[in-house]
Amino acid sequence: MRHRVVVLALDGVIPFELGIPQRIFGRTLSTETPGAGERLYDVVTCSVRPPGPVRTDADFSIVAEHGPEALATADTVVVPASYELGPVHEEGRLTGELAAAFAYIRPGTRMVSICTGGYVLAAAGYLDGRPATTHWASAEHFQRLFPKVRVDPDVLFIDDGDVLTSAGVAAGIDLCLHIVRRDHGTAVANDIARRTVVPPHRDGGQAQFIRRPLPEAGLATTTAARTWALGRLEQPILLRDMARQESMSVRTFTRRFREEVGISPGQWLTRQRVERARQLLESTGLSIDQVARDAGFGTATSLRQHVQAALGVSPTVYRRTFRSTAPGR
C-alpha cells in the first residue's frame, strides 16, 4: 500500500507551505522497474473540524474535504505554518480542537512540521528533549516558549527519526525532498526535484538568510572558487587555492565565503565531499576505499569518520539502507 501523508490545514494556514507536501509527495513516482511511474504516496488534506472551509492568510479560503479522523489513517502527518495559532503560539498549549484532532494520530506515526508548524508539534509534546528548528525569525521566541526543545536556528531542517522539522517557507521543500530521499533513495528524490524545478539539495542552512547584507554590486563573489572546487573534490584543496581563484587574500576570501554561504570554506568542502560519497554509495558498487578517494577523503577511516558525523551511520550501513530500499516503502 502507498504511504499515506495527511496534511493538517489550520485556520490562517499559509498557502505556499500548505501546497508543498502535495507538490512533492503527491507527484513522487517510482523509478524502479517494474512499477516505474507509479505514485509512491497518497496525500490528503484535513481540518480540525468536519469537512469545510479553512481560512488562509491570503484573500481566499480552501475547502478541506476531510475532517480530523483522517489523521487516524496517516503514516506521516505534516503540519504547515499558520498565522492564527492562538494559544499554541502565545502560551505553548494546544486548543481543545487541536488536542482532539491529535488524539486520532496513531503511535509511531511520523510527524513533520513546516516553518512555524513546529509550534504545534512542540505544544503537543512531540519535541520535548529533541532537536528541532523553525523559521529563524521565530527561533528565539520558540526556544523561550518551549525550553525543553533543543532549537537549532541555523539549519534548513532536522531529521530526528520519527519527528522532522523544517525552517521557514521554502525549507519545507528541502525537508520533503529529504524525506523522499530517505524513503526511496536519491534517484527518486532527484526525479521529483527536477520536475519541480528545484535543487535536490541546498548547501548551508538558515544562517545564509539571516539579515546578512548582499555583496555590493561590482564586488567579487566566491562562486568561481566553489565551482572550481566542485570539479576536483577528489584532489587536495587548500584554502589558499580557493582564494586564488577569486584573486583574494585568504582572510578576505574566508570572510566573503562565510557571508555568502553561511559556513566556512572547510565546512562547505566537507559537506560537498559527504554528498559526493552519498551519491557514490547509493549509485555505484565501488569499494569503500575507492569511494573515500573519489570523494576526496583519502582513506576509508576518514570517510567513516565524516559520514558518521554527518549522517549518524557508517558508510556500509548507509549503502545497505539506500541500495536495498524497496519501492513503496
Side-chain angles (χ1 to χ4, degrees):
M1 296 179 63
R2 293 175 185 164
H3 186 104
R4 170 161 283 211
V5 177
V6 177
V7 184
L8 180 60
L10 304 174
D11 281 331
V13 69
I14 303 173
F16 182 87
E17 280 93 324
L18 178 63
I20 290 172
Q22 177 60 246
R23 187 62 188 84
I24 300 299
F25 297 122
R27 297 291 186 272
T28 294
L29 307 176
S30 173
T31 60
E32 298 284 339
T33 301
E38 292 183 0
R39 295 197 177 189
L40 297 174
Y41 300 90
D42 283 327
V43 183
V44 299
T45 302
C46 76
S47 169
V48 294
R49 299 183 296 271
V54 177
R55 294 190 306 275
T56 74
D57 80 322
D59 63 344
F60 58 85
S61 296
I62 65 161
V63 176
E65 297 185 358
H66 302 273
E69 62 280 357
L71 293 167
T73 70
D75 299 303
T76 294
V77 170
V78 181
V79 184
S82 166
Y83 281 144
E84 297 182 22
L85 292 177
V88 173
H89 186 270
E90 296 162 7
E91 304 170 29
R93 64 176 178 85
L94 296 180
T95 63
E97 278 186 331
L98 264 174
F102 268 63
Y104 283 102
I105 299 173
R106 297 172 297 170
T109 300
R110 183 165 61 187
M111 302 298 294
V112 176
S113 66
I114 297 177
C115 191
T116 55
Y119 278 78
V120 179
L121 298 193
Y126 284 97
L127 301 183
D128 287 354
R130 290 178 179 262
T133 193
T134 188
H135 195 292
W136 61 265
S138 299
E140 186 176 343
H141 176 262
F142 189 82
Q143 184 65 89
R144 288 198 309 269
L145 193 62
F146 303 107
K148 294 181 181 180
V149 181
R150 305 200 307 272
V151 180
D152 186 344
D154 294 330
V155 296
L156 292 176
F157 60 82
I158 289 179
D159 180 344
D160 196 39
D162 60 339
V163 179
L164 301 92
T165 54
S166 88
V169 197
I173 299 175
D174 297 286
L175 176 55
C176 289
L177 286 173
H178 167 76
I179 292 171
V180 172
R181 188 181 304 112
R182 194 178 97 170
D183 288 351
H184 299 289
T186 296
V188 174
N190 286 353
D191 176 67
I192 184 58
R194 290 189 186 99
R195 289 187 288 112
T196 311
V197 199
V198 295
H201 177 79
R202 287 196 291 167
D203 297 323
Q206 290 196 86
Q208 58 190 307
F209 304 110
I210 303 176
R211 297 191 181 101
R212 296 184 183 276
L214 293 172
E216 296 177 17
L219 293 181
T221 70
T222 60
T223 302
R226 279 177 274 153
T227 301
W228 175 85
L230 286 173
R232 48 183 51 76
L233 285 178
E234 75 283 359
Q235 303 174 22
I237 298 175
L238 301 178
L239 183 56
R240 66 170 180 267
D241 295 329
M242 294 183 69
R244 190 178 298 121
Q245 305 306 309
E246 306 290 0
S247 300
M248 295 180 187
S249 68
V250 169
R251 173 180 285 187
T252 299
F253 175 79
T254 301
R255 175 176 57 80
R256 177 69 68 188
F257 193 100
R258 189 177 286 276
E259 288 174 351
E260 294 177 4
V261 182
I263 55 179
S264 71
Q267 291 171 320
W268 179 84
L269 273 174
T270 297
R271 290 187 182 185
Q272 299 308 312
R273 284 172 166 153
V274 169
E275 286 305 308
R276 174 71 59 82
R278 288 173 64 171
Q279 294 169 6
L280 294 173
L281 290 168
E282 292 179 15
S283 61
T284 76
L286 295 175
S287 69
I288 297 299
D289 286 330
Q290 187 61 54
V291 169
R293 289 192 291 271
D294 289 355
F297 288 116
T299 67
T301 298
S302 179
L303 173 69
R304 281 192 290 270
Q305 290 172 344
H306 284 95
V307 169
Q308 183 73 43
L311 307 180
V313 295
S314 70
T316 300
V317 170
Y318 183 85
R319 166 174 273 170
R320 184 166 60 243
T321 299
F322 283 93
R323 296 198 76 200
S324 61
T325 300
R329 171 182 165 186

